[in-house]
Amino acid sequence: MFNRDLFKKMKPDAIFINCSRGDLVDQEALLWAVSSSVIAAAGLDVTTPEPLPTDSPLLDPSLRGKLVIFPHIGSASNRTRENMAMLAAENLIAGLSGRPMPSPL
């Protein structure tokens, strides 16, 4: 887990990026690291909870330029959604026909 101790070990010009799981980051420690200039900036694609409540300290306007939070929508392009729908349909048809699914996971 990324906590105060780990943020203290980072260089002051470090930019922390989390696009894996929100629970891997102690968000209070991240807030401290960014607001205290322990690290230069951070970008989050995931948070805990998701979405953040509107009163979350991570959304403080004074952190703009130092902390960027993106909605977790990496798969939201039309092409990706169409591909996901096609794969789901192909899996369903194969499963109902007794054939191996093209992508069982």
Side-chain angles (χ1 to χ4, degrees):
M1 173 189 255
F2 281 87
N3 56 23
R4 275 188 184 230
D5 290 335
L6 283 174
F7 287 122
K8 287 180 191 177
K9 293 177 182 178
M10 296 174 79
K11 294 179 179 181
D13 60 347
I15 298 173
F16 178 80
I17 305 289
N18 184 19
C19 56
S20 59
R21 295 283 178 244
D23 288 341
L24 295 177
V25 179
D26 175 344
Q27 292 177 170
E28 287 182 26
L30 175 65
L31 181 63
W32 165 80
V34 170
S35 62
S36 303
S37 298
V38 172
I39 61 172
L44 304 176
D45 181 51
V46 289
T47 59
T48 300
E50 227 172 31
L52 285 173
T54 57
D55 62 346
S56 170
L58 293 173
L59 300 175
D60 186 327
S62 69
L63 296 173
R64 286 197 182 122
K66 292 192 74 156
L67 180 60
V68 178
I69 301 174
F70 297 96
H72 187 61
I73 56 170
S75 68
S77 72
N78 287 337
R79 175 183 240 166
T80 301
R81 293 290 167 103
E82 287 171 10
N83 290 342
M84 291 166 59
M86 288 299 296
L87 183 57
E90 290 168 3
N91 276 342
L92 179 63
I93 292 167
L96 292 174
S97 302
R99 296 188 320 257
M101 292 187 284
S103 182
L105 294 179

